Amino acid sequence: MSALESIKQKMSSLRLEADAASSKIDELECKVKTIDQENLAKEQEITSLNHRNQLLEAEVEKLEAGVKDAKLIADESQQHSTQNEALTRRLQLLEDEAEEADKNVRETNEKYVKALQHSSYVPTKISANQHLSRLRQTDIKAGHFERKVAALEADRDAWEKKYEEMELKYKETAKALEDFRMEIEGL
């Protein structure tokens, strides 16, 4: 019986080893299942982060385009400002010219009247007509300069308004970019 007992003992030992191996397999399968679940969760997180990264990259591109537009607007507004200054100087020159022309007309009229009063000269119909013609031409020039001044003032006002609008857009875009940078840094 000792051979039988030895076989029984060996079988018992093999059963114990098989049970131990089975429980080890169950434990390892449980670990594999847990690891698979963790891997799946991490893959989902990676997919989510990749999607968020794509959205953020799109937002960065949008904001960079906005900054580029804002820089263009700022450059344009600088050009408009320079143009506005040139128009203002031109307007001042035209106003000065108009004042000088008006002053010349008054002086000429005063001289003409004084000359008539102090002389025995009696103007002929032709010289009086010539004088009236000169006065009309001077009035026409004065009116022309006044219209030019008014048009230049309107242009200046329009450019100033456009400059203010562009400056506001630039500030809004710069603020949006800064907010976005802060949001990205927070990640």
Side-chain angles (χ1 to χ4, degrees), residues 9-153:
Q9 215 176 17
K10 201 161 192 172
M11 282 181 68
S12 175
S13 165
L14 286 174
R15 276 191 202 128
L16 287 175
E17 283 180 26
D19 287 343
S22 176
S23 95
K24 185 72 171 172
I25 288 173
D26 289 343
E27 181 183 326
L28 290 175
E29 283 177 347
C30 185
K31 282 184 180 180
V32 165
K33 188 175 181 180
T34 303
I35 290 172
D36 284 344
Q37 288 175 348
E38 288 175 1
N39 282 344
L40 181 62
K42 290 191 186 223
E43 285 176 6
Q44 289 174 345
E45 184 179 352
I46 287 170
T47 302
S48 174
L49 289 173
N50 282 336
H51 178 69
R52 182 167 178 163
N53 190 34
Q54 288 172 347
L55 292 175
L56 289 174
E57 286 175 355
E59 185 70 21
V60 165
E61 288 176 11
K62 180 181 169 186
L63 288 173
E64 285 175 347
V67 167
K68 183 179 177 184
D69 289 345
K71 285 181 181 179
L72 287 173
I73 288 169
D75 289 343
E76 282 180 14
S77 65
Q78 179 61 35
Q79 290 172 353
H80 294 313
S81 177
T82 304
Q83 202 171 25
N84 187 26
E85 290 171 8
L87 286 172
T88 302
R89 285 191 302 272
R90 187 171 171 201
L91 177 64
Q92 185 61 44
L93 288 173
L94 287 172
E95 285 176 346
D96 292 345
E97 268 183 53
E99 286 177 18
E100 187 66 30
D102 191 41
K103 179 181 171 187
N104 286 340
V105 166
R106 278 192 233 113
E107 288 175 0
T108 303
N109 284 339
E110 288 173 7
K111 287 178 184 177
Y112 181 72
V113 168
K114 284 181 184 177
L116 286 176
Q117 289 173 350
H118 294 320
S119 72
S120 58
Y121 172 75
V122 177
T124 64
K125 188 174 188 178
I126 293 171
S127 64
N129 284 339
Q130 287 175 343
H131 179 67
L132 286 175
S133 174
R134 286 184 188 160
L135 285 175
R136 283 188 195 123
Q137 287 176 353
T138 305
D139 282 343
I140 289 171
K141 282 184 181 179
H144 171 72
F145 284 127
E146 287 174 1
R147 285 189 299 278
K148 225 174 186 181
V149 166
L152 287 171
E153 285 176 342

Side-chain angles (χ1 to χ4, degrees), residues 135-173:
L135 285 175
R136 283 188 195 123
Q137 287 176 353
T138 305
D139 282 343
I140 289 171
K141 282 184 181 179
H144 171 72
F145 284 127
E146 287 174 1
R147 285 189 299 278
K148 225 174 186 181
V149 166
L152 287 171
E153 285 176 342
D155 282 350
R156 180 199 63 207
D157 293 343
W159 283 114
E160 284 177 352
K161 183 178 179 185
K162 190 169 185 175
Y163 173 78
E164 290 169 0
E165 290 171 357
M166 296 298 180
E167 188 175 37
L168 182 62
K169 283 183 182 179
Y170 175 76
K171 287 179 181 178
E172 289 172 355
T173 305

Side-chain angles (χ1 to χ4, degrees), residues 52 56 60 177-187:
R52 182 167 178 163
L56 289 174
V60 165
L177 178 63
E178 184 60 31
D179 291 346
F180 182 69
R181 283 185 185 156
M182 296 299 282
E183 182 180 327
I184 288 176
E185 287 176 5
L187 295 177

